[in-house]
Amino acid sequence: MSHARTPRRHLTAAVAVVLAAACVGTLTTGAAGAATPGATTTITVSSGTAQEGVAALLPDSVVLGHGPTGFLTSHKDGATGATVHRWTRYADGVSTVLPAGTYRGGLGTDVIVKAEGSTYTLHDMVTGAAPTVIDTSSLGGNATLASLHGTTLVMRVPRAAGGVDLHLVGKPAGTFEDRVVTGIPAAAQNVEFLVDGPNTLVIRYAVPGEADSRAALVNVATARVVGDQVLTASGTSPVLTASDAHLAWTEPYVYGSDSRALRVAPVGRQESVRIPIGSGNRMALGFLGDDWVTYADREGPWSYSPKPLHALTAHSLTDGRTVKLLDLTLRILPGSDGELLVHGATLEHGEGLYRVTTGPDGTPAATLVASTGRPLAYTVTGVNVPATVDLTTASGDPTLSWTATGISMGKLTIELTHTATGVRRTILTIATRDAAQSWDGLLDDGTAAPLGDYTWRMTTEPTNGIGPTTERQGTLKVVGEPGPHDFSNSTAPDLLFRSGGRLSVFDARQILGTDDRDTLSEVVVGSGWDTYDRIVTPGNLGGTAHADLLGRDKSGVLWSYAGTGKASAPFATRVRVGGGWGIYNQLTAGLDVSGDGHRDLLATDMDGVLWLYKGTGSLSSPFWPRVRVGGGWGIYNKVTATGNVGGGPAGDLIARDANGVDWLYLGKGDGTFAGRTRVNSTWGYYTDLIPLGDADRDGRADLVVRHVTGGGSGSLSFYRGSGDWRDPFPNVEDIDASWRFIGDGSLLF
């Protein structure tokens, strides 16, 4: 394909508005700042730097018309949201910002029209002659402008009895002229207008009861229909174009089919030639002279899949050859002398307006005449990824953002890989230009991401397949403090479950995020754990970064297991703490009750006395001698260290009595507790109460409860912590009932 440029000077296109006092509404297209005698207002705005030798086209502009010397566009002002219209000259790239209003352009003409109610003002953007003002109020208040054909207004006037009339309105020699087009069938419906050729209007319409559309050719000079033919196999709404010698239209689009075709027929003849083109549902057509028909699918910039029809293709009506002209097409605009102006893009020159002509040998070629400066392919130009992230709370979730160029959409694949273990999170997204994507701290399987170093890789490819695949890489580090119920080296809690002698670890965030038990990632710690009649999760006892485990065997000996931080093997070999622990009927841990920075353990004996074992910071000898807290705790069948759920200075306790009433004891931070507060009267229903920490990452401690039915299966519920001691767990959320544990097992706190 050819993209030769007409030699023009490199420029920063200037725009100017000159309102002449002597003739209000006169538009002049002189260079920026050029003053017309008597001018009262001059506005100059920069519209960006154009490519060498081409005019500037603002990104996201809509081309409303064009002629031999320039083109009309509309564009939304980013600051005000107002629609701004411009006329841009090809020769020097100068753009004139038009006074506020509604404008239309024609195809192949340098005349534009400004609409104000029923008054239309025509401006010749080349000569700068005095504008022509046409008052169409005589056509009635429902008359609308259908198109501009040179200096003739094509007006659509509804009939009182139904249907429409077409009026050709103008002011030749300064005299108002209104001609009604004759020859359009009275039954015509869905009348649409296409302007093709200097002397002909093409009208597409439907007739009730007929399966296919029709086309009528109107001679502008005589205001009469000079040809009318059925568009074979067109359906009700084909895309239609015409030259002086041919009509071309699309067959109906069938979703998922690759068998769509064009039909081409000589003007005035019913026989048509079928040209298969493939799959496309937003077609644009245009004739290049009488020998070539061009076509493309306009969906290209927003397409989710590659299609050959995204390209602008010219098909020869003489020998069947095809020539690819552009890589992507947005709009085809017929022009004068059989040329085309196409808004589209190539990988080489990017987005802009391309003039399509035939060369001396008759082969079509495309020349860039105005540029937006934007490339075609979606290309990432910069990535912003934080070097360090803390996933402890949701507010710490990192946002991966990037800047990009291109008029196409991009499919981005972001892979985050934990360096030590190889576990991964893959994020897929579709983006247009600059975008951002947050990471919720989960891996692909829904488990919490482990702490440590990560690599990230961003792969980008245009969704429409036009352009290369690109890749960027980098690193980040996930930091944070493992929680007291975290056994997998993350900041999120885990659940321990024992069934018989088997001990398993489940990720709490994965449990809360799925209702499918079979998809959960279960880490089996090992067998033989039925040797313990109590297993307690005290958090970090020994000064390492990871949560530990305590188990009391049936002979009353207490054992400690140091946390490793390895998800596949979370505990080291056990160490004997000491004997004599069989005197206690309840053990709970995970709190710093005394405020010295070490995790403590609480135990109730058979006489109902509550004892405090302050932590030492040593895993092999983790507790100082016991200190009596107080008596009367024998009324409770469950005592659970919950963490700080009440917003006080230290960890708290929840105790459940024989009637199923739960009481909150707020820790004072000195090894003692405030008087109890009733918080719930229905928890006697639950078998297990697990204070797992902050599972929803809102900064407050949460609770998971389990109920075991008579049939032996169990269901889970989740209580979000409120941080308010008066109502610490106000709301419950069921974790889907199909998510069940074996009935003879138990959750461990």
Side-chain angles (χ1 to χ4, degrees):
M1 77 184 77
S2 170
H3 298 287
R5 296 189 180 97
T6 304
R8 300 189 182 102
R9 58 192 172 93
H10 182 71
L11 52 90
T12 298
V15 294
V17 175
V18 181
L19 306 180
C23 184
V24 177
T26 298
L27 306 178
T28 64
T29 58
T36 301
T40 58
T41 306
T42 300
I43 305 173
T44 302
V45 184
S46 172
S47 64
T49 301
Q51 292 191 34
E52 181 74 29
V54 298
L57 175 68
L58 290 182
D60 302 315
S61 292
V62 178
V63 180
L64 301 178
H66 71 101
T69 71
F71 56 93
L72 175 68
T73 60
S74 67
H75 181 268
K76 288 287 187 182
D77 183 272
T80 65
T83 299
V84 179
H85 293 85
R86 288 176 170 83
W87 176 264
T88 302
R89 295 198 300 247
Y90 295 121
D92 54 14
V94 170
S95 290
T96 299
V97 176
L98 307 181
T102 301
Y103 294 86
R104 293 280 293 272
L107 300 179
T109 176
D110 290 321
V111 174
I112 66 173
V113 58
K114 182 180 182 182
E116 297 174 286
S118 61
T119 301
Y120 297 89
T121 305
L122 277 64
H123 300 270
D124 189 321
M125 303 306 291
V126 174
T127 66
T132 299
V133 180
I134 302 176
D135 183 356
T136 65
S137 58
S138 61
L139 303 182
N142 292 325
T144 56
L145 178 65
S147 65
L148 173 67
H149 190 75
T151 58
T152 299
L153 304 177
V154 181
M155 303 295 296
R156 177 185 175 127
V157 182
R159 300 172 186 154
V164 296
D165 283 323
L166 294 184
H167 291 240
L168 304 182
V169 179
K171 264 192 174 181
T175 302
F176 179 80
E177 181 181 77
D178 175 18
R179 298 175 295 150
V180 180
V181 174
T182 60
I184 300 177
Q189 295 182 352
N190 304 324
V191 178
E192 296 185 8
F193 309 92
L194 294 156
V195 181
D196 294 274
N199 301 307
T200 304
L201 289 174
V202 180
I203 301 172
R204 191 193 76 189
Y205 68 94
V207 174
E210 293 187 2
D212 294 319
S213 298
R214 286 178 170 264
L217 281 69
V218 178
N219 184 286
V220 177
T222 64
R224 292 183 60 84
V225 173
V226 295
D228 188 284
Q229 61 195 83
V230 175
L231 304 178
T232 305
S234 63
T236 58
S237 56
V239 178
L240 174 65
T241 191
S243 69
D244 289 339
H246 294 92
L247 293 174
W249 62 92
T250 57
E251 290 184 355
Y253 173 70
V254 178
Y255 181 78
S257 172
D258 292 332
S259 61
R260 194 170 192 181
L262 299 181
R263 293 273 180 163
V264 179
V267 171
R269 294 177 58 183
Q270 204 58 52
E271 301 82 5
S272 62
V273 175
R274 187 175 189 271
I275 304 173
I277 58 173
S279 176
N281 64 340
R282 297 185 65 186
M283 297 300 298
L285 305 178
F287 274 104
L288 184 60
D290 287 327
D291 297 330
W292 296 84
V293 61
T294 64
Y295 55 87
D297 183 354
R298 299 186 297 110
E299 189 183 35
W302 312 279
S303 175
Y304 286 88
S305 62
K307 289 182 182 180
L309 278 179
H310 294 155
L312 177 66
T313 302
H315 179 94
S316 173
L317 300 180
T318 58
D319 58 19
R321 284 185 299 145
T322 58
V323 178
K324 178 182 175 182
L325 297 168
L326 303 178
D327 294 308
L328 183 142
T329 306
L330 294 170
R331 192 178 179 194
I332 299 175
L333 299 146
S336 58
D337 299 326
E339 296 181 353
L340 298 173
L341 186 69
V342 181
H343 187 182
T346 66
L347 285 173
E348 181 180 3
H349 298 298
E351 180 194 11
L353 297 180
Y354 290 80
R355 181 178 289 120
V356 180
T357 60
T358 53
D361 63 351
T363 301
T367 302
L368 181 66
V369 294
S371 172
T372 64
R374 296 194 307 193
L376 164 55
Y378 187 89
T379 304
V380 173
T381 57
V383 179
N384 182 22
V385 178
T388 303
V389 298
D390 189 337
L391 303 175
T392 305
T393 61
S395 61
D397 287 350
T399 297
L400 318 176
S401 61
W402 58 93
T403 56
T405 60
I407 64 172
S408 299
M409 296 192 304
K411 180 173 70 174
L412 283 85
T413 304
I414 305 171
E415 292 181 340
L416 300 155
T417 304
H418 189 235
T419 304
T421 63
V423 294
R424 180 177 299 173
R425 175 63 184 272
T426 303
I427 302 172
L428 301 177
T429 187
I430 301 293
T432 57
R433 300 175 199 161
D434 301 352
Q437 181 68 46
S438 64
W439 178 34
D440 57 8
L442 296 178
L443 300 176
D444 286 340
D445 63 0
T447 60
L451 303 172
D453 294 325
Y454 285 75
T455 60
W456 61 262
R457 182 176 67 170
M458 176 185 287
T459 304
T460 311
E461 58 181 307
T463 59
N464 57 21
I466 305 174
T469 297
T470 60
E471 183 177 296
R472 288 175 175 262
Q473 297 183 8
T475 61
L476 63 83
K477 180 186 285 291
V478 175
V479 299
E481 182 179 349
H485 231 277
D486 168 38
F487 310 107
S488 56
N489 190 35
S490 71
T491 58
D494 301 305
L495 284 174
L496 288 179
F497 177 72
R498 182 173 64 172
S499 179
R502 188 174 79 170
L503 184 66
S504 301
V505 178
F506 293 91
D507 185 276
R509 289 197 67 191
Q510 187 187 50
I511 289 175
L512 295 176
T514 183
D515 59 5
D516 186 355
R517 169 70 173 82
D518 294 332
T519 65
L520 294 178
S521 301
E522 178 182 8
V523 176
V524 178
V525 177
S527 59
W529 289 83
D530 51 355
T531 188
Y532 301 114
D533 61 7
R534 290 287 188 277
I535 295 178
V536 182
T537 56
N540 173 18
L541 290 176
T544 64
H546 306 294
D548 307 317
L549 198 67
L550 292 172
R552 184 185 69 184
D553 66 24
K554 295 172 184 178
S555 64
V557 176
L558 191 65
W559 302 85
S560 67
Y561 289 82
T564 66
K566 298 178 181 179
S568 59
F571 304 114
T573 304
R574 70 178 186 174
V575 175
R576 190 178 191 274
V577 175
W581 291 82
I583 63 173
Y584 300 115
N585 57 9
Q586 293 197 64
L587 299 173
T588 189
L591 305 179
D592 177 14
V593 175
S594 56
D596 60 2
H598 299 301
R599 301 284 179 177
D600 306 321
L601 182 144
L602 293 155
T604 57
D605 62 22
M606 305 301 179
D607 296 326
V609 177
L610 180 66
W611 300 91
L612 169 64
Y613 286 85
K614 295 182 179 181
T616 65
S618 169
L619 187 62
S620 59
S621 181
F623 303 114
W624 296 111
R626 68 182 187 176
V627 175
R628 190 178 192 274
V629 177
W633 290 78
I635 63 173
Y636 301 119
N637 57 28
K638 180 78 71 174
V639 176
T640 302
T642 61
N644 188 343
V645 300
D652 309 318
L653 289 179
I654 284 183
R656 185 178 66 190
D657 63 24
N659 296 319
V661 178
D662 286 88
W663 303 87
L664 174 65
Y665 287 85
L666 294 176
K668 296 181 179 180
D670 60 359
T672 64
F673 297 91
R676 70 180 188 175
T677 302
R678 180 172 176 159
V679 294
N680 206 298
S681 61
T682 62
W683 284 1
Y685 172 80
Y686 298 125
T687 308
D688 301 304
L689 281 73
I690 311 301
L692 75 169
D694 184 13
D696 59 1
R697 302 191 305 151
D698 63 355
R700 298 185 287 267
D702 306 313
L703 198 68
V704 164
V705 298
R706 176 173 175 258
H707 169 64
V708 177
T709 66
S713 60
S715 61
L716 298 179
S717 298
F718 176 64
Y719 284 88
R720 297 182 186 275
S722 67
D724 183 351
W725 63 271
R726 292 161 298 188
D727 191 9
F729 301 107
N731 299 309
V732 61
E733 300 174 18
D734 288 335
I735 301 173
D736 194 275
S738 65
W739 200 99
R740 302 179 185 278
F741 286 110
I742 304 300
D744 63 352
S746 60
L747 291 172
L748 305 175
F749 57 86

